Amino acid sequence: KPHFLYNTLDAIEALAMMKDTDKVCQLVESLGVFYRKSVSGGKEFLTVEEEMEIAEKYAAIMRIRVGEGFNCHISMDEESRQLLIPKLTIQPLVENSFQHGIRSSSLYGMITVNASVENRKLHIMVRDNGEGIPQEVVRELEQPGGPAEHKSLGLRGTVERLRLIYQEHFSYRIVNQGFSEVHLYLDEDVCRETGEDNVG
């Protein structure tokens, strides 16, 4: 995502000119971890713990870039930490919550991300207190292969990719009740081995 990199480098330059060395160091460290984990030596599948770290670093970068108007709380249970999921599954959902939920709201923003194993399924939940997911986007997700909504590409792309990889082993649920929740469910067994070789 060149625009994300360019905007972050611009923020680093501005902070350096203001001699805010603490925030410069935080941004450089977060950016380094974000891209190192995202590239991940060409691996297509990462552990839930690694995915959570990418999402955490993304949120840390955005908090420095745009100010302290939101927070992101990330948690996972022990059973979920080492399960494998496709690279960049969680971060696009956090980015979607920030860009299309939190950023347009006048309220203090809160994004919550949780991963747990329940009834032999990996359950990933991303919640924000923004303005909700438009119903046309929700309807569109119910029609695989249809035209994507430009304002929700992170959500659409994630759901479509998981559908393609996991087929009947994947399901999702969206809740809009004064807040937005995206719930992803993957059969635990297909997340325990080595990615694509264990799916199908």
Side-chain angles (χ1 to χ4, degrees):
K1 296 185 177 180
H3 68 281
F4 173 71
L5 176 60
Y6 298 154
N7 290 341
T8 303
L9 290 174
D10 284 345
I12 291 171
E13 180 184 24
L15 290 167
M17 292 177 69
M18 292 187 290
K19 303 189 187 315
D20 193 338
T21 54
D22 286 345
K23 286 187 177 178
V24 168
C25 290
Q26 291 173 40
L27 264 181
V28 170
E29 188 271 339
S30 294
L31 190 65
V33 172
F34 177 84
Y35 276 102
R36 184 167 65 252
K37 292 287 186 181
S38 297
V39 173
S40 63
K43 292 189 294 183
E44 292 301 319
F45 289 77
L46 299 178
T47 65
V48 168
E49 188 169 23
E50 290 172 316
E51 276 286 290
M52 288 293 202
E53 187 175 8
I54 293 173
E56 184 178 35
K57 294 306 180 184
Y58 169 80
I61 290 167
M62 297 310 296
R63 287 192 77 206
I64 294 174
R65 275 182 44 190
V66 305
E68 302 293 315
F70 86 103
N71 202 355
C72 183
H73 177 70
I74 290 175
S75 62
M76 69 200 100
D77 67 12
E78 286 301 319
E79 289 183 85
S80 68
R81 285 179 181 272
Q82 296 307 309
L83 296 181
L84 292 166
I85 57 177
K87 179 170 63 179
L88 295 178
T89 291
I90 297 173
Q91 183 272 333
L93 299 182
V94 174
E95 182 174 355
N96 193 76
S97 285
F98 174 75
Q99 296 289 353
H100 307 299
I102 298 300
R103 200 167 192 175
S104 59
S105 173
S106 59
L107 301 175
Y108 182 83
M110 175 60 73
I111 299 173
T112 303
V113 188
N114 178 258
S116 59
V117 175
E118 305 164 6
N119 301 317
R120 301 190 66 183
K121 288 185 180 290
L122 171 62
H123 175 204
I124 297 169
M125 185 275 294
V126 179
R127 174 195 292 136
D128 69 70
N129 66 337
E131 299 188 351
I133 300 170
Q135 282 305 308
E136 62 267 23
V137 174
V138 176
R139 287 193 297 269
E140 190 179 73
L141 285 168
E142 297 169 357
Q143 302 173 8
E149 277 283 344
H150 291 295
K151 59 185 176 180
S152 192
L153 288 176
L155 174 58
R156 175 71 188 224
T158 298
V159 168
E160 287 293 340
R161 188 159 62 115
L162 294 176
R163 272 179 178 148
L164 180 64
I165 295 171
Y166 293 103
Q167 300 176 37
E168 71 273 12
H169 300 289
F170 163 71
S171 60
Y172 76 96
R173 181 167 63 95
I174 292 175
V175 179
N176 275 325
Q177 294 180 345
F179 54 85
S180 298
E181 289 181 352
V182 177
H183 298 263
L184 306 178
Y185 302 94
L186 292 165
D187 288 353
E188 181 184 6
D189 290 346
V190 301
C191 301
R192 284 204 174 277
E193 300 285 332
T194 53
E196 291 138 320
D197 292 341
N198 197 42
V199 178

